[in-house]
Amino acid sequence: MLNLVIFGPPGAGKGTQSQKLIDQYQLVHISTGDLFRAHIQNKTELGQQVSQLIADGNLVPDSITIAMLEEEVKKNPVAKGFIFDGFPRTVAQAEALDAFLESVNTSISVVIALDVNESELTARIAKRQEISGRADDAADKLVKRIDEYFQKTIHVLPYYEAQGKLSKVNGIGEIDAIYAELTAIVDKY
Ligand code: ADP
């Protein structure tokens, strides 16, 4: 199995690059952000639980996020592999993901971290908000999301680096040029 984590701060291009990767490698794309937004849209109990947290730019608690992720993996028993996008966002999530994958006899192949500086992220999301209308893309909420990233999520990098699974890619430039760097990494697996 080929299991990728596509990692990076809000606005790094995880979703854009994941979309291209799934087309080429026939992987199942699991975006926790997309899953939460679908729950909110469908007004599920989970959606109601998390909508305010997300709108305010906070992370959703690990227990909720991990349970949702595992359920989604289990829905795809014949998958060739997965792209995890927006997950793990905490070290506890990374540990839970490792344990869960081990229980189904697989593991993370590689973690690709998209590196983008803060001023570029802010500019990209301001532009995206005009189209997406996402409440959490508003400038004041974005500050909170970037803060959450630097407080909690960034620690996931050394976790995977210690496992020798981390590959960093410059996330600034042409989408296709960045994608070419990603495929060069993925093809090794
Ligand atoms: P972006 O990558 O642009 O920040 P996402 O769509 O990945 O956006 O996530 C949107 C929001 O959903 C996050 O700000 C957070 O509130 C919630 N979320 C998504 N994934 C996770 C996760 N793994 N753990 C906790 N919260 C999450």
Side-chain angles (χ1 to χ4, degrees), residues 8-12 14 31-34 36-37 53-55 57-62 65 85-90 93 125 128 134 136-137 145:
K14 301 184 293 289
S31 159
T32 43
D34 287 351
F36 284 133
R37 280 185 288 277
L53 283 170
I54 291 179
N58 296 297
L59 290 187
V60 173
D62 285 336
T65 308
D85 162 4
F87 184 96
R89 259 181 160 94
T90 63
Q93 290 179 15
I125 292 188
R128 178 171 84 184
R134 270 172 58 176
D136 63 338
D137 278 348
R145 281 160 64 203

PDB file of all heavy atoms in Angstrom, residues 8-12 14 31-34 36-37 53-55 57-62 65 85-90 93 125 128 134 136-137 145, ligand 1:
ATOM      1  N   GLY A   8       1.144  20.532   5.750  1.00  0.00           N
ATOM      2  CA  GLY A   8       1.520  21.933   5.581  1.00  0.00           C
ATOM      3  C   GLY A   8       0.532  22.839   6.282  1.00  0.00           C
ATOM      4  O   GLY A   8      -0.548  22.409   6.670  1.00  0.00           O
ATOM      5  N   PRO A   9       0.896  24.090   6.439  1.00  0.00           N
ATOM      6  CA  PRO A   9      -0.006  25.047   7.095  1.00  0.00           C
ATOM      7  C   PRO A   9      -1.236  25.331   6.236  1.00  0.00           C
ATOM      8  O   PRO A   9      -1.260  24.969   5.056  1.00  0.00           O
ATOM      9  CB  PRO A   9       0.870  26.302   7.244  1.00  0.00           C
ATOM     10  CG  PRO A   9       1.930  26.159   6.206  1.00  0.00           C
ATOM     11  CD  PRO A   9       2.164  24.693   6.035  1.00  0.00           C
ATOM     12  N   PRO A  10      -2.251  26.002   6.805  1.00  0.00           N
ATOM     13  CA  PRO A  10      -3.428  26.375   6.021  1.00  0.00           C
ATOM     14  C   PRO A  10      -3.003  27.183   4.803  1.00  0.00           C
ATOM     15  O   PRO A  10      -2.209  28.114   4.929  1.00  0.00           O
ATOM     16  CB  PRO A  10      -4.238  27.270   6.974  1.00  0.00           C
ATOM     17  CG  PRO A  10      -3.705  27.054   8.333  1.00  0.00           C
ATOM     18  CD  PRO A  10      -2.330  26.476   8.203  1.00  0.00           C
ATOM     19  N   GLY A  11      -3.508  26.805   3.643  1.00  0.00           N
ATOM     20  CA  GLY A  11      -3.186  27.560   2.436  1.00  0.00           C
ATOM     21  C   GLY A  11      -1.923  27.109   1.736  1.00  0.00           C
ATOM     22  O   GLY A  11      -1.504  27.708   0.737  1.00  0.00           O
ATOM     23  N   ALA A  12      -1.312  26.021   2.199  1.00  0.00           N
ATOM     24  CA  ALA A  12      -0.044  25.569   1.601  1.00  0.00           C
ATOM     25  C   ALA A  12      -0.252  24.897   0.251  1.00  0.00           C
ATOM     26  O   ALA A  12       0.711  24.720  -0.506  1.00  0.00           O
ATOM     27  CB  ALA A  12       0.676  24.617   2.551  1.00  0.00           C
ATOM     28  N   LYS A  14      -2.282  21.873   0.038  1.00  0.00           N
ATOM     29  CA  LYS A  14      -2.462  20.438   0.276  1.00  0.00           C
ATOM     30  C   LYS A  14      -3.604  19.876  -0.579  1.00  0.00           C
ATOM     31  O   LYS A  14      -3.453  18.835  -1.204  1.00  0.00           O
ATOM     32  CB  LYS A  14      -2.778  20.167   1.755  1.00  0.00           C
ATOM     33  CG  LYS A  14      -1.709  20.641   2.718  1.00  0.00           C
ATOM     34  CD  LYS A  14      -2.023  20.252   4.160  1.00  0.00           C
ATOM     35  CE  LYS A  14      -3.232  20.935   4.757  1.00  0.00           C
ATOM     36  NZ  LYS A  14      -3.065  22.359   5.053  1.00  0.00           N
ATOM     37  N   SER A  31      -9.517  13.978   3.361  1.00  0.00           N
ATOM     38  CA  SER A  31      -9.277  15.323   3.885  1.00  0.00           C
ATOM     39  C   SER A  31     -10.192  15.528   5.086  1.00  0.00           C
ATOM     40  O   SER A  31     -11.415  15.558   4.938  1.00  0.00           O
ATOM     41  CB  SER A  31      -9.577  16.368   2.810  1.00  0.00           C
ATOM     42  OG  SER A  31      -9.822  17.633   3.413  1.00  0.00           O
ATOM     43  N   THR A  32      -9.589  15.637   6.268  1.00  0.00           N
ATOM     44  CA  THR A  32     -10.429  15.810   7.460  1.00  0.00           C
ATOM     45  C   THR A  32     -11.210  17.127   7.388  1.00  0.00           C
ATOM     46  O   THR A  32     -12.356  17.186   7.823  1.00  0.00           O
ATOM     47  CB  THR A  32      -9.592  15.721   8.750  1.00  0.00           C
ATOM     48  OG1 THR A  32      -8.385  16.467   8.567  1.00  0.00           O
ATOM     49  CG2 THR A  32      -9.262  14.288   9.089  1.00  0.00           C
ATOM     50  N   GLY A  33     -10.608  18.157   6.797  1.00  0.00           N
ATOM     51  CA  GLY A  33     -11.334  19.433   6.649  1.00  0.00           C
ATOM     52  C   GLY A  33     -12.568  19.251   5.775  1.00  0.00           C
ATOM     53  O   GLY A  33     -13.669  19.709   6.120  1.00  0.00           O
ATOM     54  N   ASP A  34     -12.413  18.548   4.637  1.00  0.00           N
ATOM     55  CA  ASP A  34     -13.565  18.299   3.751  1.00  0.00           C
ATOM     56  C   ASP A  34     -14.627  17.461   4.473  1.00  0.00           C
ATOM     57  O   ASP A  34     -15.824  17.707   4.322  1.00  0.00           O
ATOM     58  CB  ASP A  34     -13.131  17.538   2.488  1.00  0.00           C
ATOM     59  CG  ASP A  34     -12.356  18.411   1.504  1.00  0.00           C
ATOM     60  OD1 ASP A  34     -12.295  19.647   1.718  1.00  0.00           O
ATOM     61  OD2 ASP A  34     -11.811  17.861   0.522  1.00  0.00           O
ATOM     62  N   PHE A  36     -15.216  17.269   7.710  1.00  0.00           N
ATOM     63  CA  PHE A  36     -15.935  18.111   8.686  1.00  0.00           C
ATOM     64  C   PHE A  36     -16.919  19.034   7.971  1.00  0.00           C
ATOM     65  O   PHE A  36     -18.054  19.204   8.421  1.00  0.00           O
ATOM     66  CB  PHE A  36     -14.948  18.949   9.513  1.00  0.00           C
ATOM     67  CG  PHE A  36     -14.207  18.176  10.575  1.00  0.00           C
ATOM     68  CD1 PHE A  36     -12.831  18.314  10.731  1.00  0.00           C
ATOM     69  CD2 PHE A  36     -14.883  17.324  11.443  1.00  0.00           C
ATOM     70  CE1 PHE A  36     -12.143  17.616  11.712  1.00  0.00           C
ATOM     71  CE2 PHE A  36     -14.203  16.621  12.435  1.00  0.00           C
ATOM     72  CZ  PHE A  36     -12.825  16.772  12.564  1.00  0.00           C
ATOM     73  N   ARG A  37     -16.482  19.625   6.855  1.00  0.00           N
ATOM     74  CA  ARG A  37     -17.394  20.546   6.148  1.00  0.00           C
ATOM     75  C   ARG A  37     -18.632  19.800   5.628  1.00  0.00           C
ATOM     76  O   ARG A  37     -19.737  20.339   5.644  1.00  0.00           O
ATOM     77  CB  ARG A  37     -16.654  21.277   5.018  1.00  0.00           C
ATOM     78  CG  ARG A  37     -15.817  22.456   5.525  1.00  0.00           C
ATOM     79  CD  ARG A  37     -15.179  23.258   4.410  1.00  0.00           C
ATOM     80  NE  ARG A  37     -14.099  22.546   3.765  1.00  0.00           N
ATOM     81  CZ  ARG A  37     -12.840  22.488   4.219  1.00  0.00           C
ATOM     82  NH1 ARG A  37     -12.510  23.144   5.322  1.00  0.00           N
ATOM     83  NH2 ARG A  37     -11.914  21.808   3.579  1.00  0.00           N
ATOM     84  N   LEU A  53     -16.308  25.481  16.538  1.00  0.00           N
ATOM     85  CA  LEU A  53     -14.853  25.368  16.711  1.00  0.00           C
ATOM     86  C   LEU A  53     -14.137  25.682  15.412  1.00  0.00           C
ATOM     87  O   LEU A  53     -13.161  26.434  15.381  1.00  0.00           O
ATOM     88  CB  LEU A  53     -14.494  23.920  17.107  1.00  0.00           C
ATOM     89  CG  LEU A  53     -14.751  23.483  18.543  1.00  0.00           C
ATOM     90  CD1 LEU A  53     -14.563  21.971  18.675  1.00  0.00           C
ATOM     91  CD2 LEU A  53     -13.787  24.212  19.470  1.00  0.00           C
ATOM     92  N   ILE A  54     -14.621  25.092  14.327  1.00  0.00           N
ATOM     93  CA  ILE A  54     -13.973  25.282  13.032  1.00  0.00           C
ATOM     94  C   ILE A  54     -14.127  26.718  12.545  1.00  0.00           C
ATOM     95  O   ILE A  54     -13.155  27.331  12.102  1.00  0.00           O
ATOM     96  CB  ILE A  54     -14.527  24.266  12.003  1.00  0.00           C
ATOM     97  CG1 ILE A  54     -14.060  22.860  12.398  1.00  0.00           C
ATOM     98  CG2 ILE A  54     -14.096  24.629  10.578  1.00  0.00           C
ATOM     99  CD1 ILE A  54     -14.548  21.759  11.491  1.00  0.00           C
ATOM    100  N   ALA A  55     -15.328  27.253  12.689  1.00  0.00           N
ATOM    101  CA  ALA A  55     -15.557  28.632  12.236  1.00  0.00           C
ATOM    102  C   ALA A  55     -14.626  29.604  12.962  1.00  0.00           C
ATOM    103  O   ALA A  55     -14.193  30.602  12.397  1.00  0.00           O
ATOM    104  CB  ALA A  55     -17.014  29.017  12.454  1.00  0.00           C
ATOM    105  N   GLY A  57     -11.623  28.889  13.957  1.00  0.00           N
ATOM    106  CA  GLY A  57     -10.218  28.633  13.626  1.00  0.00           C
ATOM    107  C   GLY A  57      -9.502  27.710  14.592  1.00  0.00           C
ATOM    108  O   GLY A  57      -8.281  27.566  14.531  1.00  0.00           O
ATOM    109  N   ASN A  58     -10.272  27.078  15.503  1.00  0.00           N
ATOM    110  CA  ASN A  58      -9.659  26.121  16.444  1.00  0.00           C
ATOM    111  C   ASN A  58      -9.558  24.745  15.808  1.00  0.00           C
ATOM    112  O   ASN A  58     -10.335  24.403  14.922  1.00  0.00           O
ATOM    113  CB  ASN A  58     -10.535  25.969  17.685  1.00  0.00           C
ATOM    114  CG  ASN A  58     -10.650  27.250  18.460  1.00  0.00           C
ATOM    115  OD1 ASN A  58      -9.657  27.763  18.962  1.00  0.00           O
ATOM    116  ND2 ASN A  58     -11.860  27.797  18.533  1.00  0.00           N
ATOM    117  N   LEU A  59      -8.646  23.932  16.332  1.00  0.00           N
ATOM    118  CA  LEU A  59      -8.638  22.530  15.948  1.00  0.00           C
ATOM    119  C   LEU A  59      -9.806  21.823  16.629  1.00  0.00           C
ATOM    120  O   LEU A  59     -10.214  22.189  17.730  1.00  0.00           O
ATOM    121  CB  LEU A  59      -7.333  21.848  16.375  1.00  0.00           C
ATOM    122  CG  LEU A  59      -6.058  22.238  15.639  1.00  0.00           C
ATOM    123  CD1 LEU A  59      -4.903  21.328  16.086  1.00  0.00           C
ATOM    124  CD2 LEU A  59      -6.209  22.186  14.134  1.00  0.00           C
ATOM    125  N   VAL A  60     -10.295  20.783  15.977  1.00  0.00           N
ATOM    126  CA  VAL A  60     -11.308  19.910  16.572  1.00  0.00           C
ATOM    127  C   VAL A  60     -10.559  18.967  17.526  1.00  0.00           C
ATOM    128  O   VAL A  60      -9.425  18.565  17.231  1.00  0.00           O
ATOM    129  CB  VAL A  60     -12.022  19.122  15.448  1.00  0.00           C
ATOM    130  CG1 VAL A  60     -12.964  18.076  16.012  1.00  0.00           C
ATOM    131  CG2 VAL A  60     -12.769  20.088  14.517  1.00  0.00           C
ATOM    132  N   PRO A  61     -11.164  18.600  18.673  1.00  0.00           N
ATOM    133  CA  PRO A  61     -10.461  17.698  19.605  1.00  0.00           C
ATOM    134  C   PRO A  61     -10.005  16.397  18.927  1.00  0.00           C
ATOM    135  O   PRO A  61     -10.690  15.869  18.046  1.00  0.00           O
ATOM    136  CB  PRO A  61     -11.508  17.420  20.683  1.00  0.00           C
ATOM    137  CG  PRO A  61     -12.415  18.600  20.643  1.00  0.00           C
ATOM    138  CD  PRO A  61     -12.445  19.056  19.217  1.00  0.00           C
ATOM    139  N   ASP A  62      -8.859  15.903  19.378  1.00  0.00           N
ATOM    140  CA  ASP A  62      -8.256  14.701  18.781  1.00  0.00           C
ATOM    141  C   ASP A  62      -9.214  13.511  18.775  1.00  0.00           C
ATOM    142  O   ASP A  62      -9.296  12.785  17.781  1.00  0.00           O
ATOM    143  CB  ASP A  62      -6.996  14.297  19.568  1.00  0.00           C
ATOM    144  CG  ASP A  62      -5.811  15.217  19.271  1.00  0.00           C
ATOM    145  OD1 ASP A  62      -5.796  15.830  18.181  1.00  0.00           O
ATOM    146  OD2 ASP A  62      -4.914  15.302  20.127  1.00  0.00           O
ATOM    147  N   THR A  65     -11.653  13.727  15.955  1.00  0.00           N
ATOM    148  CA  THR A  65     -11.000  13.699  14.640  1.00  0.00           C
ATOM    149  C   THR A  65     -10.474  12.299  14.324  1.00  0.00           C
ATOM    150  O   THR A  65     -10.652  11.793  13.210  1.00  0.00           O
ATOM    151  CB  THR A  65      -9.845  14.718  14.625  1.00  0.00           C
ATOM    152  OG1 THR A  65     -10.346  15.979  15.057  1.00  0.00           O
ATOM    153  CG2 THR A  65      -9.260  14.862  13.234  1.00  0.00           C
ATOM    154  N   ASP A  85      -4.832  14.195   4.103  1.00  0.00           N
ATOM    155  CA  ASP A  85      -4.684  15.638   3.847  1.00  0.00           C
ATOM    156  C   ASP A  85      -5.314  16.390   5.017  1.00  0.00           C
ATOM    157  O   ASP A  85      -6.515  16.270   5.259  1.00  0.00           O
ATOM    158  CB  ASP A  85      -5.379  15.902   2.493  1.00  0.00           C
ATOM    159  CG  ASP A  85      -5.728  17.361   2.226  1.00  0.00           C
ATOM    160  OD1 ASP A  85      -5.379  18.241   3.032  1.00  0.00           O
ATOM    161  OD2 ASP A  85      -6.378  17.598   1.186  1.00  0.00           O
ATOM    162  N   GLY A  86      -4.488  17.110   5.749  1.00  0.00           N
ATOM    163  CA  GLY A  86      -5.014  17.838   6.919  1.00  0.00           C
ATOM    164  C   GLY A  86      -5.058  16.967   8.166  1.00  0.00           C
ATOM    165  O   GLY A  86      -5.622  17.355   9.185  1.00  0.00           O
ATOM    166  N   PHE A  87      -4.471  15.814   8.088  1.00  0.00           N
ATOM    167  CA  PHE A  87      -4.393  14.863   9.205  1.00  0.00           C
ATOM    168  C   PHE A  87      -3.094  14.081   9.053  1.00  0.00           C
ATOM    169  O   PHE A  87      -2.812  13.647   7.935  1.00  0.00           O
ATOM    170  CB  PHE A  87      -5.585  13.904   9.167  1.00  0.00           C
ATOM    171  CG  PHE A  87      -5.624  12.950  10.343  1.00  0.00           C
ATOM    172  CD1 PHE A  87      -6.399  13.234  11.449  1.00  0.00           C
ATOM    173  CD2 PHE A  87      -4.869  11.780  10.334  1.00  0.00           C
ATOM    174  CE1 PHE A  87      -6.430  12.369  12.539  1.00  0.00           C
ATOM    175  CE2 PHE A  87      -4.882  10.924  11.432  1.00  0.00           C
ATOM    176  CZ  PHE A  87      -5.673  11.219  12.520  1.00  0.00           C
ATOM    177  N   PRO A  88      -2.300  13.868  10.075  1.00  0.00           N
ATOM    178  CA  PRO A  88      -2.460  14.324  11.450  1.00  0.00           C
ATOM    179  C   PRO A  88      -2.076  15.794  11.638  1.00  0.00           C
ATOM    180  O   PRO A  88      -1.168  16.295  10.988  1.00  0.00           O
ATOM    181  CB  PRO A  88      -1.501  13.416  12.218  1.00  0.00           C
ATOM    182  CG  PRO A  88      -0.433  13.056  11.230  1.00  0.00           C
ATOM    183  CD  PRO A  88      -1.111  13.005   9.899  1.00  0.00           C
ATOM    184  N   ARG A  89      -2.759  16.449  12.553  1.00  0.00           N
ATOM    185  CA  ARG A  89      -2.474  17.841  12.873  1.00  0.00           C
ATOM    186  C   ARG A  89      -1.936  18.002  14.291  1.00  0.00           C
ATOM    187  O   ARG A  89      -1.683  19.131  14.720  1.00  0.00           O
ATOM    188  CB  ARG A  89      -3.759  18.663  12.755  1.00  0.00           C
ATOM    189  CG  ARG A  89      -3.865  19.459  11.462  1.00  0.00           C
ATOM    190  CD  ARG A  89      -5.185  20.235  11.520  1.00  0.00           C
ATOM    191  NE  ARG A  89      -5.236  21.344  10.628  1.00  0.00           N
ATOM    192  CZ  ARG A  89      -5.754  21.291   9.391  1.00  0.00           C
ATOM    193  NH1 ARG A  89      -6.190  20.169   8.898  1.00  0.00           N
ATOM    194  NH2 ARG A  89      -5.805  22.378   8.650  1.00  0.00           N
ATOM    195  N   THR A  90      -1.817  16.903  15.009  1.00  0.00           N
ATOM    196  CA  THR A  90      -1.191  16.931  16.339  1.00  0.00           C
ATOM    197  C   THR A  90      -0.361  15.651  16.452  1.00  0.00           C
ATOM    198  O   THR A  90      -0.598  14.679  15.721  1.00  0.00           O
ATOM    199  CB  THR A  90      -2.235  16.919  17.487  1.00  0.00           C
ATOM    200  OG1 THR A  90      -2.970  15.683  17.404  1.00  0.00           O
ATOM    201  CG2 THR A  90      -3.198  18.088  17.410  1.00  0.00           C
ATOM    202  N   GLN A  93      -2.493  12.709  17.161  1.00  0.00           N
ATOM    203  CA  GLN A  93      -3.129  12.165  15.953  1.00  0.00           C
ATOM    204  C   GLN A  93      -2.140  11.313  15.156  1.00  0.00           C
ATOM    205  O   GLN A  93      -2.506  10.267  14.611  1.00  0.00           O
ATOM    206  CB  GLN A  93      -3.662  13.294  15.063  1.00  0.00           C
ATOM    207  CG  GLN A  93      -4.870  14.012  15.651  1.00  0.00           C
ATOM    208  CD  GLN A  93      -5.373  15.150  14.767  1.00  0.00           C
ATOM    209  OE1 GLN A  93      -5.018  15.250  13.589  1.00  0.00           O
ATOM    210  NE2 GLN A  93      -6.199  16.014  15.334  1.00  0.00           N
ATOM    211  N   ILE A 125      -4.978  32.843   1.230  1.00  0.00           N
ATOM    212  CA  ILE A 125      -6.281  32.567   1.849  1.00  0.00           C
ATOM    213  C   ILE A 125      -7.217  33.759   1.704  1.00  0.00           C
ATOM    214  O   ILE A 125      -8.422  33.587   1.525  1.00  0.00           O
ATOM    215  CB  ILE A 125      -6.106  32.090   3.302  1.00  0.00           C
ATOM    216  CG1 ILE A 125      -5.450  30.698   3.230  1.00  0.00           C
ATOM    217  CG2 ILE A 125      -7.433  32.030   4.043  1.00  0.00           C
ATOM    218  CD1 ILE A 125      -5.343  29.949   4.506  1.00  0.00           C
ATOM    219  N   ARG A 128      -8.602  33.170  -1.574  1.00  0.00           N
ATOM    220  CA  ARG A 128      -9.519  32.035  -1.585  1.00  0.00           C
ATOM    221  C   ARG A 128     -10.860  32.399  -0.950  1.00  0.00           C
ATOM    222  O   ARG A 128     -11.904  31.929  -1.388  1.00  0.00           O
ATOM    223  CB  ARG A 128      -8.886  30.855  -0.826  1.00  0.00           C
ATOM    224  CG  ARG A 128      -9.797  29.635  -0.737  1.00  0.00           C
ATOM    225  CD  ARG A 128      -9.081  28.415  -0.175  1.00  0.00           C
ATOM    226  NE  ARG A 128      -9.062  28.395   1.272  1.00  0.00           N
ATOM    227  CZ  ARG A 128      -8.428  27.482   2.002  1.00  0.00           C
ATOM    228  NH1 ARG A 128      -7.731  26.535   1.403  1.00  0.00           N
ATOM    229  NH2 ARG A 128      -8.453  27.521   3.306  1.00  0.00           N
ATOM    230  N   ARG A 134     -15.611  30.661   3.051  1.00  0.00           N
ATOM    231  CA  ARG A 134     -15.452  29.911   4.306  1.00  0.00           C
ATOM    232  C   ARG A 134     -15.278  30.873   5.474  1.00  0.00           C
ATOM    233  O   ARG A 134     -14.423  31.754   5.438  1.00  0.00           O
ATOM    234  CB  ARG A 134     -14.216  28.997   4.200  1.00  0.00           C
ATOM    235  CG  ARG A 134     -14.533  27.622   3.662  1.00  0.00           C
ATOM    236  CD  ARG A 134     -13.281  26.820   3.394  1.00  0.00           C
ATOM    237  NE  ARG A 134     -12.424  26.642   4.554  1.00  0.00           N
ATOM    238  CZ  ARG A 134     -11.327  25.901   4.544  1.00  0.00           C
ATOM    239  NH1 ARG A 134     -10.954  25.268   3.437  1.00  0.00           N
ATOM    240  NH2 ARG A 134     -10.593  25.782   5.631  1.00  0.00           N
ATOM    241  N   ASP A 136     -13.966  30.377   8.255  1.00  0.00           N
ATOM    242  CA  ASP A 136     -12.641  30.293   8.881  1.00  0.00           C
ATOM    243  C   ASP A 136     -11.544  30.858   7.994  1.00  0.00           C
ATOM    244  O   ASP A 136     -10.379  30.892   8.389  1.00  0.00           O
ATOM    245  CB  ASP A 136     -12.323  28.848   9.308  1.00  0.00           C
ATOM    246  CG  ASP A 136     -12.243  27.860   8.154  1.00  0.00           C
ATOM    247  OD1 ASP A 136     -12.810  28.138   7.075  1.00  0.00           O
ATOM    248  OD2 ASP A 136     -11.611  26.797   8.338  1.00  0.00           O
ATOM    249  N   ASP A 137     -11.897  31.325   6.804  1.00  0.00           N
ATOM    250  CA  ASP A 137     -10.912  32.013   5.958  1.00  0.00           C
ATOM    251  C   ASP A 137     -10.881  33.520   6.228  1.00  0.00           C
ATOM    252  O   ASP A 137     -10.027  34.224   5.699  1.00  0.00           O
ATOM    253  CB  ASP A 137     -11.209  31.767   4.463  1.00  0.00           C
ATOM    254  CG  ASP A 137     -10.661  30.418   3.966  1.00  0.00           C
ATOM    255  OD1 ASP A 137      -9.868  29.793   4.698  1.00  0.00           O
ATOM    256  OD2 ASP A 137     -11.008  30.009   2.843  1.00  0.00           O
ATOM    257  N   ARG A 145      -5.959  30.116  13.075  1.00  0.00           N
ATOM    258  CA  ARG A 145      -5.557  28.848  12.449  1.00  0.00           C
ATOM    259  C   ARG A 145      -4.045  28.745  12.305  1.00  0.00           C
ATOM    260  O   ARG A 145      -3.464  27.680  12.534  1.00  0.00           O
ATOM    261  CB  ARG A 145      -6.231  28.693  11.088  1.00  0.00           C
ATOM    262  CG  ARG A 145      -7.671  28.230  11.216  1.00  0.00           C
ATOM    263  CD  ARG A 145      -8.470  28.526   9.985  1.00  0.00           C
ATOM    264  NE  ARG A 145      -8.003  27.828   8.812  1.00  0.00           N
ATOM    265  CZ  ARG A 145      -8.229  28.238   7.565  1.00  0.00           C
ATOM    266  NH1 ARG A 145      -8.893  29.353   7.335  1.00  0.00           N
ATOM    267  NH2 ARG A 145      -7.794  27.525   6.557  1.00  0.00           N
TER     268      ARG A 145
HETATM  269  P1  ADP B   1      -6.744  24.338   5.878  1.00  0.00           P
HETATM  270  O1  ADP B   1      -5.746  23.317   5.443  1.00  0.00           O
HETATM  271  O2  ADP B   1      -7.034  25.364   4.852  1.00  0.00           O
HETATM  272  O3  ADP B   1      -6.454  24.897   7.217  1.00  0.00           O
HETATM  273  P2  ADP B   1      -8.747  22.251   6.345  1.00  0.00           P
HETATM  274  O4  ADP B   1      -9.854  22.169   5.403  1.00  0.00           O
HETATM  275  O5  ADP B   1      -7.730  21.178   6.326  1.00  0.00           O
HETATM  276  O6  ADP B   1      -8.139  23.671   6.102  1.00  0.00           O
HETATM  277  O7  ADP B   1      -9.295  22.337   7.850  1.00  0.00           O
HETATM  278  C1  ADP B   1     -10.268  23.270   8.228  1.00  0.00           C
HETATM  279  C2  ADP B   1     -10.524  23.188   9.718  1.00  0.00           C
HETATM  280  O8  ADP B   1     -11.039  21.876  10.050  1.00  0.00           O
HETATM  281  C3  ADP B   1      -9.313  23.349  10.614  1.00  0.00           C
HETATM  282  O9  ADP B   1      -9.000  24.707  10.849  1.00  0.00           O
HETATM  283  C4  ADP B   1      -9.791  22.631  11.890  1.00  0.00           C
HETATM  284  O10 ADP B   1     -10.705  23.417  12.609  1.00  0.00           O
HETATM  285  C5  ADP B   1     -10.553  21.447  11.329  1.00  0.00           C
HETATM  286  N1  ADP B   1      -9.672  20.287  11.142  1.00  0.00           N
HETATM  287  C6  ADP B   1      -9.343  19.719   9.948  1.00  0.00           C
HETATM  288  N2  ADP B   1      -8.509  18.679  10.135  1.00  0.00           N
HETATM  289  C7  ADP B   1      -8.301  18.587  11.475  1.00  0.00           C
HETATM  290  C8  ADP B   1      -7.513  17.748  12.305  1.00  0.00           C
HETATM  291  N3  ADP B   1      -6.759  16.766  11.779  1.00  0.00           N
HETATM  292  N4  ADP B   1      -7.530  17.944  13.649  1.00  0.00           N
HETATM  293  C9  ADP B   1      -8.279  18.901  14.182  1.00  0.00           C
HETATM  294  N5  ADP B   1      -9.024  19.757  13.465  1.00  0.00           N
HETATM  295  C10 ADP B   1      -9.043  19.609  12.122  1.00  0.00           C
END
